[in-house]
Every structure is written in C-alpha cells, then in structure tokens.
Amino acid sequence: MSDEKTFYITTPIYYVNDVPHVGNASTTIVSDVMARFMRLKGRKVIFATGTDENGPKVLEAARERGKDPQTFTDEIAAQFKDIWGKLNISYDDFIRTTEERHIRVVQEFLSRLIASGDVYKGTYAGWYCLSDETFFAASEVTDNLCPNPECRKPLKWVEEENYFFRLSRYTDRLKRHIEENPEFLTPEVRRNEVLRFIEGGLRDASISRSGYGWGIPVREDPQQVVYVWFDALLNYLTVTGWPEDAEKYNQTWPPDVEFMAKDIFVRFHSTLWPAMLMALDLPLPKRLFGHGFWTIEGEKISKSKGNAVPPATLARQLADISGAEVDVCVDAIRYFVMRELPVSSDSDFSMQGLIRRFNADLANDLGNLLNRNLQMLTRYFEGVVPQQSPPDSEIRDLAAQICCEVEEAFESLQFPQALAALWRFIARMNKYADEKAPWVLAREGKIEDLANVLYTALESVRIAAVGVAPFMPTVAKIIWHQLGIEEALSGQVWDRAAVWGGLKAGTRVRDVAPIFPRITAKETPRKEETPAVNEPAGETPYISFDEFKKLDLRTGQIKSAEKVAGADKLLKLSVDIGSEVRTVVAGIAQYYAPDALIDKTVVLIVNLAPAKIRGVESQGMLLAADVGGEAILLMPDRDVPPGSKVR
Ligand code: ME8
C-alpha cells in the first residue's frame, strides 16, 4: 500500500475577497465526497483546498474594509476554515498563497523557466480585468468592458514591462495531449470548448506586474510581482512538497482529479496550467473536472454580485423549519448539491428545491426505510437482529450491483448517478417491505419469514449507510449508531460493503428515532424570508369551465425517448397522439430511464403553444403528479387508444 500513489484531489483556492457561498462550497463538497470515497476504497488520500490571497483584487477588498492586506487575509482564511469545518469538509491540507512554503515554490518555478528561456521580459500593452484578474487581447474587447458575459466590469488599460511565459510554444503539444487523453478534461462540452480556444491560437502570457505591491516578488527582479494566476495555479505543486520534499512529491504528484467550475476551466486550468507544467517536464494532472454554475433565479451566484448564500446560514434555516439537527441539515445540503450538481449546464439553487429533496429523498425514502424497519424490529424482536435464513438472492444481488454502479459513477465523476443508483436500491427496499408486509407475517405467526424479511431490510440499510457515507457523513454515522453495529463506520472498506451478512445476528439496535422530520407546507418559508427561493405559485385561483374547456388533454403513446444533449434533466420524447406523432421535451430524466418509457400511455396537453427547449421544439406537455419534487407521470389504468380525449 505504501508504494501505491497517494490519491491527490484539489479544489480551486478561493479568493479571499469575501467569505464562501454555496457556489464555492459546492466544489469543495464534491471534492470532499470524492476524497471520502477514495478513503473508503482504502486509498491514502491528500485532499487540498485553500485560499488565493495575493493580487490587486484582494488588496482592493482589504482597502475597502480599511485593513492591511495580511490582517484581512488572515481573517478571511480563518473564516473559510471555520465554514469548511461546519460543512464537514475533511481536507488534509489548507494552502494559503501568502505562506512561505508557497512563495519559495513560485520563485523557484519561475527561476527555472527564466533559466530555460520559457520566460522572457517584454512590454505588455493590453486590457486587464481586476474582477477576473485576467488579461484580454485588444481583439477580444469591443467596448472597454470585460468580455466575460458574467462580469462585464470596466477594464483597465495596462502598459508596462512584464515577464512573459511562452504559452504559444505549447499550442500543439496541448492540443495533442487533450486529443490523446479523452479522460483529461470532463465534461465533454467543456473539453470541446478548450479545443476551440486552443485552436483560436494561444498568445504568450504576461505573468508579472511591475511595481504592484501585494504579491510574490520575482526573485531575479524584485520590482516585479508574479501575476496572481501564475502564482495561484502553483499551489497544487506546493502541497506536494515540490521541489524540496522529493519523497512526498513522488508519492503524490500528479493530482488525480482537480475540481472547479467552468469559469476557470478553459483559460487557466486547461491551458495555462498544463503548459506551465510541460515547460518544466512535470506530469500533468490526470483529470480536470469543470462543473456548471449554480444560479439564483437565472443569475450566477457570486461574491461580487452579492446574491451569495452563506451555506451555514442555509443549514441553520433548514434546521429551524424542519426541526432536524443542524449537522443533519448540513448533510441535506451536501446531498442536494451532489444530487443536483450542475455538470454540463447550470442549475438553480433554491430553498424550495432543497426542501423538496429533503422531504422526498431523505424523509420519505431513506428516513422511512430506516425507521419502519427499526420500529418493526423493536416491536417484533425486542430490538435484536434475528438470525438470517438463506439470503434473499434478488436483494443480495441487487445490493452488489448497486455498489458496482456507485463505483463506476465515481470513476467517471458522475456523482448524481451514484446517488440515483443508491436511491434505486432504497426505493426497492421500501417496496420490499410493502410487498412482504411483515405485519401480516407477524399476525399469522410466521416468525421465521418475519425474521428473514427484517434481516434483509436491515442488512440493506447497513449497505445503504456505507454508500451514503461519503455524501452524508453525519447521517451515515447516525444510521450506523441506530443499527447498533459495534465496528466503527470509519473502519469500513468499500469493497466489502455489499458482502451480504455484515449485520450480525444478536446486534441490539439503539436510540431509534427519526432523523429527518418531514417539512410541512406550513413551515416552508415565504420568499422574502429565504436567501434563495424559487417560489411556486401561491393560492391557485378558480377558473371557469369555459377556461378549462380550452385545454386539449389527450392520451398519447410514447414511441421513443432519449436524453437531450447538454441537459441533465430533460428527455426528448416522440408521442403518438393518434392523428400525429408529437415531439415533447419533458423534465423527467432524473425519474425515468428512457427505455422504461417506450410504449407507455401518458396524458398530455396538446394545444399548448410550442416552445423551444434546449434547441428542441416541444409540441406539448406531459401531466405528472409532483410528489415531493419528483415527477410521477399520469398513466391510464387500462389500455386506451392514443389520442383519446381526457376530460
Ligand atoms: O477563481 N456555481 O477563485 P473564486 C458553482 N482564486 N461554483 C461556483 C460558483 C457558482 N455560482 N461560484 C464560484 C478563483 N464557484 C481563483 C481560483 S485556483 C488556482 C484559483 C466555485 O473565489 C467554482 O469552483 O472566484 C469556481 O471555479 C470557484 O468557486 C471560483 O472561486
């Protein structure tokens, strides 16, 4: 094990111009979940996060608050650590770019590039965006405003002597590396964006600013300060001890996966960063993952827009309205972030969405599975796990298959799919209890069957607890405690999670109590009381019968179904409505596999004005029941011909 490479995971190091919001938190949560899973896999992990503390943007933020930059960055870095603690982030290293160890690395790296000729001195004349800390070519700028559509702040014209990195020299090598290593950049849409960016031509990059105070001085020329991005990217190398601690470096480098959002994926992490490493012949990170943005009512959540939601506040609010422990609510936020993570596209972050997931997935599914089975065990076996008879092979095999799917999802960085697989298992086990009706077995005195059913259910809860542990560490620990298992959850090994029989007969369950109290509509906060709310319609007004008659509702038979490219939640369906076949785009991809829909008869509104959704014209809308946020399609209870009128 000691000669196995340490699994190295990084988050971006966040600017300390303000405290973190759910956007920053989500990347850190994703990284944490990955780190916890790899530890569960038995790997040694270094999971690093930290703060980006140099540069004019931070200096300006400190000045605005009347503080000297070092005091200011000390304060904010401490707040980051505090918030990561509250969100149960298990980082192994917290790197700050004002630390001595990092300054040495940046200076050494630059010296080597100056010596090799990859860095040279020249004159820079161009536009600079302070908010994005980014240089732009004159050709990219049309109106003296930052060309990044998320930013659009006024640019500053900069003309000075700078050090330049020969980025242009690496154009072909970069392109080749990306093409030859399809796993390097994820997801696919962003990989294509990077290729287009590189094909557009790379210019040498200015990597220093002259006479600018707050930053790392160039060793050979202390009048110059290293450009904040060149400095920041090197944090990933500093964490590994390069170049002083060869043993740690050899054990750790390169990063196995670096997480970030799309804002810093193309220009910096997929272009400048690998080129810098190529220049010193250092191995490149194995994978870069650039997720989409969380938005609030369509706008990116960001520190500078002031629409940022403090994650700890959100957890407290959820605790207030649900009555659950704050730590459980932190886990609910972690679950929501991972389940709804924007990958190829963006997602709206809303309190309503969070409550929906809390009620549907956590209270109704996971909580219910745990509760009902523990209560039945208490009622029928005085809380002691009975001896199992031969295992139910369907459930045992399903558990093993689900664990494989979870692992595959982690390998391909498809986190929502890992949770979807686990929740399929949980749903199956809730149905299992309904089908087996232990209360009937108890009434009829079939004690052996009853023991077998409850053992199977509780063993499944054990397996589910191991599976959810990387996502919801506190909840998993509570489940583990209630199950009464003596071995520590932290000592569990993923590869043995699904080995049937882990729960020992004779184990006595303890402190049985619901973890997730259901949130009722009465407790749901109104829009003005929540930081980020996507409000559903309030009171529904009456409509006249004439108005109702305007709706043309019909049955339709689904002929084909496929995912809409670039949208995690949408399916494109062809629906036969008797007189014709309609194309319908429906937001049900999280709840229905395309194949499972073929030949199903559904109900749809056929006279809804067509609308373009993700470039596809949708010619109708399916009717579905909204059960705690999950869409459940309405289907007739017997065969009806397509096109039948619904009234
Ligand atoms: O860019 N949705 O720091 P930063 C999802 N210091 N993720 C979001 C988000 C949103 N609305 N807003 C921010 C920097 N993030 C540099 C990084 S690394 C060498 C230097 C997350 O504080 C996401 O991970 O602006 C994004 O890439 C990062 O915060 C930007 O953080």
Side-chain angles (χ1 to χ4, degrees), residues 194-337:
V194 173
L195 282 170
R196 280 198 304 275
F197 179 70
I198 296 176
E199 279 157 12
L202 297 179
R203 289 171 298 125
D204 288 355
S206 164
I207 54 150
S208 72
R209 307 287 308 273
S210 76
Y212 213 95
W214 186 244
I216 300 178
V218 176
R219 194 153 53 190
E220 291 73 6
D221 191 349
Q223 288 309 306
Q224 297 270 332
V225 170
V226 178
Y227 168 46
V228 61
W229 264 103
F230 193 85
D231 144 6
L233 288 163
L234 289 170
N235 89 84
Y236 304 131
L237 209 45
T238 305
V239 166
T240 68
W242 184 90
E244 293 159 6
D245 187 345
E247 196 185 331
K248 183 173 180 191
Y249 167 78
N250 287 329
Q251 181 79 21
T252 315
W253 193 261
D256 290 271
V257 51
E258 306 211 277
F259 289 102
M260 70 210 75
K262 60 185 183 180
D263 51 344
I264 56 177
F265 190 78
V266 178
R267 226 173 244 271
F268 298 113
H269 281 82
S270 307
T271 310
L272 178 61
W273 175 222
M276 284 163 64
L277 292 168
M278 280 174 174
L280 283 195
D281 271 333
L282 296 173
L284 305 193
K286 292 188 187 163
R287 310 188 72 175
L288 302 177
F289 180 85
H291 57 76
F293 284 148
W294 289 107
T295 55
I296 287 185
E297 286 160 8
E299 275 221 325
K300 184 195 167 207
I301 300 174
S302 81
K303 294 173 195 144
S304 47
K305 285 206 173 111
N307 61 356
V309 188
T313 311
L314 201 59
R316 269 201 314 278
Q317 281 190 333
L318 192 60
D320 284 347
I321 57 175
S322 66
E325 300 287 327
V326 174
D327 283 348
V328 167
C329 293
V330 162
D331 273 7
I333 293 172
R334 291 173 59 110
Y335 175 80
F336 178 80
V337 162

Side-chain angles (χ1 to χ4, degrees), residues 23 27 95 172-173 188 202-203 251 274 292 304 331 333 348 384 389 452-453 473 488 502 504 507 511 517 626:
T27 314
I95 165 95
D172 293 341
R173 260 179 81 183
E188 182 76 17
L202 297 179
R203 289 171 298 125
Q251 181 79 21
S304 47
D331 273 7
I333 293 172
D348 224 43
V384 178
S389 337
N452 202 22
V453 166
K504 299 288 172 255
T507 304
D511 303 328
D626 179 343

Side-chain angles (χ1 to χ4, degrees), residues 7 31 54 87 140 224 234 314 324 330 356 366 385 415 466 489 622:
F7 198 89
S31 312
N54 295 314
L87 296 184
E140 293 176 278
Q224 297 270 332
L234 289 170
L314 201 59
V330 162
R356 244 180 260 140
L366 178 60
V385 175
F415 305 103
V466 180
L489 176 60
L622 303 193

